[in-house]
Short mmCIF file of all heavy atoms in Angstrom, two decimals:
data_model
loop_
_atom_site.label_atom_id
_atom_site.label_comp_id
_atom_site.label_asym_id
_atom_site.label_seq_id
_atom_site.Cartn_x
_atom_site.Cartn_y
_atom_site.Cartn_z
N GLN A 156 56.00 26.07 34.94
CA GLN A 156 54.76 25.52 35.47
C GLN A 156 54.57 24.08 35.00
O GLN A 156 54.17 23.20 35.76
CB GLN A 156 53.57 26.38 35.02
CG GLN A 156 53.59 27.81 35.53
CD GLN A 156 52.45 28.62 34.93
OE1 GLN A 156 51.72 28.15 34.07
NE2 GLN A 156 52.31 29.86 35.37
N LYS A 159 56.84 21.72 36.96
CA LYS A 159 56.37 21.51 38.33
C LYS A 159 55.12 20.63 38.35
O LYS A 159 54.93 19.84 39.28
CB LYS A 159 56.06 22.86 38.98
CG LYS A 159 57.29 23.71 39.26
CD LYS A 159 56.88 25.05 39.84
CE LYS A 159 58.09 25.94 40.08
NZ LYS A 159 57.69 27.29 40.55
N LEU A 160 54.28 20.77 37.35
CA LEU A 160 53.01 20.05 37.34
C LEU A 160 53.16 18.60 36.90
O LEU A 160 52.40 17.74 37.32
CB LEU A 160 52.03 20.79 36.41
CG LEU A 160 50.62 20.23 36.28
CD1 LEU A 160 49.89 20.30 37.61
CD2 LEU A 160 49.85 20.99 35.21
N LYS A 163 52.37 15.29 38.94
CA LYS A 163 51.79 15.64 40.23
C LYS A 163 50.29 15.32 40.32
O LYS A 163 49.74 15.29 41.41
CB LYS A 163 52.00 17.14 40.51
CG LYS A 163 53.46 17.56 40.61
CD LYS A 163 54.14 16.91 41.79
CE LYS A 163 55.51 17.53 42.06
NZ LYS A 163 56.43 17.40 40.93
N LEU A 164 49.62 15.14 39.19
CA LEU A 164 48.17 14.91 39.21
C LEU A 164 47.88 13.42 39.01
O LEU A 164 48.25 12.83 37.98
CB LEU A 164 47.48 15.72 38.10
CG LEU A 164 47.66 17.24 38.14
CD1 LEU A 164 46.90 17.89 37.00
CD2 LEU A 164 47.22 17.80 39.48
N ALA A 301 39.77 15.92 37.86
CA ALA A 301 41.02 16.55 37.42
C ALA A 301 41.04 18.03 37.77
O ALA A 301 42.07 18.57 38.22
CB ALA A 301 41.20 16.34 35.92
N ARG A 302 39.90 18.70 37.60
CA ARG A 302 39.84 20.13 37.92
C ARG A 302 40.01 20.36 39.42
O ARG A 302 40.72 21.27 39.84
CB ARG A 302 38.52 20.71 37.43
CG ARG A 302 38.47 20.91 35.92
CD ARG A 302 37.11 21.33 35.44
NE ARG A 302 37.12 21.60 34.01
CZ ARG A 302 36.08 21.45 33.21
NH1 ARG A 302 34.93 21.02 33.70
NH2 ARG A 302 36.17 21.73 31.92
N ALA A 303 39.36 19.54 40.22
CA ALA A 303 39.48 19.69 41.68
C ALA A 303 40.91 19.43 42.13
O ALA A 303 41.46 20.15 42.98
CB ALA A 303 38.51 18.72 42.36
N GLU A 304 41.55 18.42 41.55
CA GLU A 304 42.93 18.10 41.93
C GLU A 304 43.89 19.21 41.50
O GLU A 304 44.80 19.58 42.26
CB GLU A 304 43.33 16.76 41.31
CG GLU A 304 44.65 16.23 41.86
CD GLU A 304 45.03 14.88 41.27
OE1 GLU A 304 44.29 14.39 40.39
OE2 GLU A 304 46.06 14.34 41.68
N LEU A 305 43.68 19.75 40.30
CA LEU A 305 44.54 20.85 39.83
C LEU A 305 44.37 22.07 40.73
O LEU A 305 45.35 22.73 41.10
CB LEU A 305 44.18 21.19 38.38
CG LEU A 305 44.97 22.35 37.76
CD1 LEU A 305 46.45 22.00 37.65
CD2 LEU A 305 44.41 22.72 36.38
N HIS A 306 43.12 22.38 41.10
CA HIS A 306 42.86 23.53 41.97
C HIS A 306 43.55 23.35 43.32
O HIS A 306 44.15 24.29 43.86
CB HIS A 306 41.36 23.70 42.15
CG HIS A 306 40.98 24.87 43.01
ND1 HIS A 306 41.07 26.18 42.57
CD2 HIS A 306 40.51 24.93 44.29
CE1 HIS A 306 40.68 26.99 43.54
NE2 HIS A 306 40.33 26.25 44.60
N ALA A 307 43.47 22.16 43.88
CA ALA A 307 44.11 21.89 45.17
C ALA A 307 45.63 21.98 45.06
O ALA A 307 46.31 22.52 45.95
CB ALA A 307 43.70 20.51 45.68
N TRP A 308 46.17 21.48 43.96
CA TRP A 308 47.63 21.53 43.77
C TRP A 308 48.12 22.96 43.65
O TRP A 308 49.13 23.34 44.24
CB TRP A 308 47.99 20.73 42.52
CG TRP A 308 49.48 20.69 42.26
CD1 TRP A 308 50.39 19.85 42.83
CD2 TRP A 308 50.19 21.55 41.39
NE1 TRP A 308 51.64 20.13 42.36
CE2 TRP A 308 51.55 21.19 41.47
CE3 TRP A 308 49.84 22.60 40.55
CZ2 TRP A 308 52.55 21.81 40.75
CZ3 TRP A 308 50.83 23.23 39.83
CH2 TRP A 308 52.16 22.85 39.91
N VAL A 309 47.39 23.79 42.88
CA VAL A 309 47.77 25.21 42.75
C VAL A 309 47.70 25.90 44.11
O VAL A 309 48.55 26.71 44.46
CB VAL A 309 46.86 25.92 41.72
CG1 VAL A 309 47.08 27.42 41.75
CG2 VAL A 309 47.13 25.38 40.32
N GLY A 310 46.68 25.55 44.93
CA GLY A 310 46.57 26.14 46.27
C GLY A 310 47.75 25.77 47.15
O GLY A 310 48.29 26.61 47.89
N ARG A 311 48.17 24.49 47.10
CA ARG A 311 49.33 24.07 47.90
C ARG A 311 50.59 24.79 47.45
O ARG A 311 51.43 25.19 48.26
CB ARG A 311 49.52 22.56 47.78
CG ARG A 311 48.46 21.73 48.49
CD ARG A 311 48.89 20.28 48.63
NE ARG A 311 49.11 19.64 47.33
CZ ARG A 311 48.17 19.02 46.64
NH1 ARG A 311 46.92 18.98 47.10
NH2 ARG A 311 48.46 18.45 45.48
N LEU A 312 50.74 24.96 46.14
CA LEU A 312 51.91 25.66 45.63
C LEU A 312 51.92 27.11 46.08
O LEU A 312 52.97 27.66 46.45
CB LEU A 312 51.93 25.59 44.10
CG LEU A 312 53.12 26.29 43.42
CD1 LEU A 312 54.42 25.59 43.77
CD2 LEU A 312 52.93 26.34 41.92
N ALA A 313 50.74 27.75 46.09
CA ALA A 313 50.65 29.15 46.50
C ALA A 313 51.11 29.33 47.94
O ALA A 313 51.80 30.30 48.29
CB ALA A 313 49.22 29.66 46.34
N ARG A 314 50.74 28.37 48.82
CA ARG A 314 51.15 28.48 50.22
C ARG A 314 52.65 28.26 50.39
O ARG A 314 53.26 28.75 51.35
CB ARG A 314 50.37 27.47 51.06
CG ARG A 314 48.88 27.81 51.19
CD ARG A 314 48.21 26.93 52.22
NE ARG A 314 48.16 25.54 51.79
CZ ARG A 314 47.18 25.01 51.06
NH1 ARG A 314 46.17 25.77 50.66
NH2 ARG A 314 47.20 23.74 50.72
N ALA A 315 53.26 27.51 49.44
CA ALA A 315 54.69 27.22 49.56
C ALA A 315 55.57 28.31 48.98
O ALA A 315 56.77 28.33 49.22
CB ALA A 315 55.00 25.88 48.87
N LEU A 316 54.99 29.22 48.21
CA LEU A 316 55.78 30.27 47.58
C LEU A 316 56.22 31.31 48.58
O LEU A 316 55.58 31.54 49.61
CB LEU A 316 54.97 30.94 46.46
CG LEU A 316 54.72 30.08 45.22
CD1 LEU A 316 53.78 30.81 44.27
CD2 LEU A 316 56.01 29.73 44.51
N MET A 317 57.31 31.97 48.25
CA MET A 317 57.81 33.05 49.09
C MET A 317 56.91 34.26 48.94
O MET A 317 56.22 34.43 47.93
CB MET A 317 59.24 33.40 48.67
CG MET A 317 60.24 32.26 48.87
SD MET A 317 61.86 32.69 48.22
CE MET A 317 62.25 34.15 49.18
N GLN A 320 55.71 36.27 45.57
CA GLN A 320 55.59 35.41 44.41
C GLN A 320 54.11 35.10 44.16
O GLN A 320 53.28 35.21 45.07
CB GLN A 320 56.37 34.12 44.62
CG GLN A 320 57.88 34.32 44.60
CD GLN A 320 58.60 32.99 44.72
OE1 GLN A 320 58.31 32.19 45.60
NE2 GLN A 320 59.55 32.76 43.83
N MET A 321 53.80 34.70 42.95
CA MET A 321 52.41 34.48 42.57
C MET A 321 52.21 33.04 42.14
O MET A 321 53.03 32.50 41.38
CB MET A 321 52.03 35.41 41.40
CG MET A 321 50.59 35.25 40.93
SD MET A 321 50.26 36.16 39.41
CE MET A 321 51.26 35.26 38.24
N ALA A 322 51.16 32.43 42.65
CA ALA A 322 50.81 31.09 42.18
C ALA A 322 50.22 31.19 40.79
O ALA A 322 49.59 32.18 40.42
CB ALA A 322 49.79 30.46 43.13
N MET A 323 50.44 30.15 40.00
CA MET A 323 50.00 30.17 38.61
C MET A 323 48.48 30.03 38.51
O MET A 323 47.84 29.41 39.36
CB MET A 323 50.68 29.03 37.86
CG MET A 323 50.38 27.67 38.44
SD MET A 323 51.56 26.41 37.90
CE MET A 323 53.00 26.88 38.82
N HIS A 324 47.91 30.65 37.50
CA HIS A 324 46.49 30.48 37.18
C HIS A 324 46.40 29.41 36.10
O HIS A 324 46.86 29.61 34.98
CB HIS A 324 45.89 31.79 36.67
CG HIS A 324 45.92 32.89 37.69
ND1 HIS A 324 45.10 32.92 38.78
CD2 HIS A 324 46.69 34.00 37.77
CE1 HIS A 324 45.34 34.00 39.50
NE2 HIS A 324 46.31 34.67 38.91
N LEU A 325 45.84 28.27 36.44
CA LEU A 325 45.75 27.17 35.50
C LEU A 325 44.34 26.62 35.45
O LEU A 325 43.59 26.69 36.43
CB LEU A 325 46.72 26.04 35.89
CG LEU A 325 48.22 26.33 35.78
CD1 LEU A 325 49.02 25.12 36.24
CD2 LEU A 325 48.61 26.71 34.37
N ALA A 326 44.00 26.10 34.31
CA ALA A 326 42.69 25.48 34.12
C ALA A 326 42.89 24.22 33.30
O ALA A 326 43.92 24.04 32.62
CB ALA A 326 41.73 26.43 33.42
N GLU A 594 46.84 41.87 44.51
CA GLU A 594 46.12 41.30 43.36
C GLU A 594 44.62 41.39 43.61
O GLU A 594 44.13 40.97 44.65
CB GLU A 594 46.51 39.84 43.16
CG GLU A 594 45.80 39.21 41.97
CD GLU A 594 46.18 37.76 41.75
OE1 GLU A 594 46.93 37.21 42.59
OE2 GLU A 594 45.74 37.19 40.74
#
Side-chain angles (χ1 to χ4, degrees):
Q156 296 174 355
K159 291 177 182 176
L160 182 64
K163 298 296 191 300
L164 301 181
R302 285 173 176 151
E304 190 178 3
L305 179 65
H306 181 73
W308 182 83
V309 170
R311 290 194 299 271
L312 180 66
R314 291 190 293 272
L316 290 174
M317 297 174 60
Q320 290 184 310
M321 180 189 68
M323 59 198 72
H324 298 287
L325 292 178
E594 181 180 6

